[in-house]
Amino acid sequence: MSKETYNNEDERIQAGLTQKPWNEIRSNDSWAIFKIMSEFVNGFETMAKIGPCVSIFGSARTKPDDKYYLLTEEIAEKIANSGYGVITGGGPGIMEAGNKGASRGTAPSVGLNIELPFEQHFNPYISHNFNLNFDYFFVRKTMFVKYSQGFVVMPGGFGTLDEMFEAVTLIQTKKIARFPIILVGTEFWGGLMDWIKTVMIERYHNASPEDLNLVKLVDTADEVVEIIDKFYKKYSLSPNF
């Protein structure tokens, strides 16, 4: 099944509005199932070889001299040396910093990349055979959630927010266990957390006050590792070694 390409956004919109025969639409949807299935199978078979992991989310735009890039390196190295594999989106920025730090540790450094309209290559710090490429965001997010026992969220954009709120929602609705979700950077995340508390919860009652307890807000690598280790000790779990 070939991908459709467009020269500009107008062509994409026009194609979406063009009426196609219903049987043609259904046929294309049916064939897409096999591509989706292959991504799930490849992802499951690869990720099942890895022990307990922590996912690190964050912006692809963060530069190597940025303080959060350097902090992500430190966090990932400490996590890996504590025995937990590190999973990132496999690309540049915070993802690269996560894999780079983890590669200096003693546990797997995993990259789950996504095909995007703008070019994004795997960063060079992913462990051998632990780099996966996806066309479908929802398959990729399944891999993040299914094989992570903790989530570290660095400053990022809309994609980072999507990944963070996905994890929060799944824990809130008890679809997955209550694994740690750690936001790193009070100056970046503090305003969002204040808005959730004062507007979403207190003014509009669209969430419960106890939902705030699902997320921890920290500023240092040691705080991140302490939260993860405390979680594992509470449930008598062991990392990779």
Side-chain angles (χ1 to χ4, degrees):
M1 181 181 62
S2 61
K3 292 184 182 179
E4 295 185 49
T5 58
Y6 307 96
N7 293 321
N8 53 56
E9 190 63 22
D10 287 339
E11 285 189 9
R12 180 185 293 273
I13 293 172
Q14 186 63 45
L17 295 174
T18 301
Q19 295 296 318
K20 295 182 179 180
W22 179 241
N23 62 337
E24 180 181 339
I25 295 173
R26 294 182 65 184
S27 176
N28 289 340
D29 288 346
S30 298
W31 281 108
I33 292 173
F34 294 99
K35 171 61 177 172
I36 294 167
M37 186 186 304
S38 71
E39 290 198 358
F40 273 120
V41 170
N42 188 39
F44 290 156
E45 289 187 346
T46 301
M47 299 299 291
K49 302 171 185 175
I50 308 169
C53 287
V54 174
S55 285
I56 297 180
F57 302 133
S59 177
R61 305 184 187 195
T62 306
K63 304 301 181 185
D65 59 350
D66 186 276
K67 68 177 183 180
Y68 285 114
Y69 184 105
L70 299 174
L71 180 57
T72 303
E73 278 192 69
E74 181 186 358
I75 289 170
E77 184 174 3
K78 286 179 180 288
I79 288 173
N81 280 330
S82 294
Y84 312 101
V86 171
I87 304 175
T88 81
I94 293 294
M95 296 174 282
E96 177 183 282
N99 289 128
K100 185 176 181 181
S103 70
R104 295 197 293 261
T106 54
S109 173
V110 184
L112 307 179
N113 203 1
I114 184 75
E115 293 284 347
L116 296 173
F118 48 88
E119 201 169 11
Q120 177 173 308
H121 296 294
F122 283 111
N123 67 66
Y125 302 104
I126 300 167
S127 299
H128 181 61
N129 290 333
F130 287 145
N131 54 335
L132 291 168
N133 211 40
F134 297 91
D135 285 325
Y136 297 95
F137 266 110
F138 68 92
V139 180
R140 179 178 181 244
K141 287 201 290 185
T142 298
M143 300 304 149
F144 274 122
V145 172
K146 181 175 177 59
Y147 294 99
S148 295
Q149 287 80 47
F151 305 92
V152 176
V153 190
M154 306 301 295
F158 292 119
T160 302
L161 290 172
D162 176 49
E163 291 160 340
M164 185 265 284
F165 281 118
E166 172 95 0
V168 172
T169 301
L170 290 172
I171 291 173
Q172 179 201 41
T173 56
K174 303 187 187 304
K175 294 298 183 181
I176 63 173
R178 190 170 173 171
F179 297 124
I181 300 175
I182 308 165
L183 307 187
V184 181
T186 303
E187 65 178 6
F188 185 88
W189 296 108
L192 174 63
M193 296 305 294
D194 288 342
W195 177 83
I196 291 174
K197 180 178 184 294
T198 60
V199 179
M200 182 187 292
I201 294 177
E202 294 179 356
R203 186 184 306 175
Y204 289 97
H205 310 291
N206 288 333
S208 302
E210 56 267 24
D211 290 335
L212 285 173
N213 298 328
L214 300 177
V215 179
K216 304 293 184 183
L217 184 58
V218 305
D219 285 300
T220 69
D222 287 338
E223 289 176 296
V224 172
V225 176
E226 180 183 0
I227 290 170
I228 294 171
D229 281 342
K230 185 177 179 180
F231 170 81
Y232 268 75
K233 288 176 182 176
K234 178 179 179 180
Y235 293 101
S236 299
L237 301 174
S238 298
N240 283 298
F241 59 73

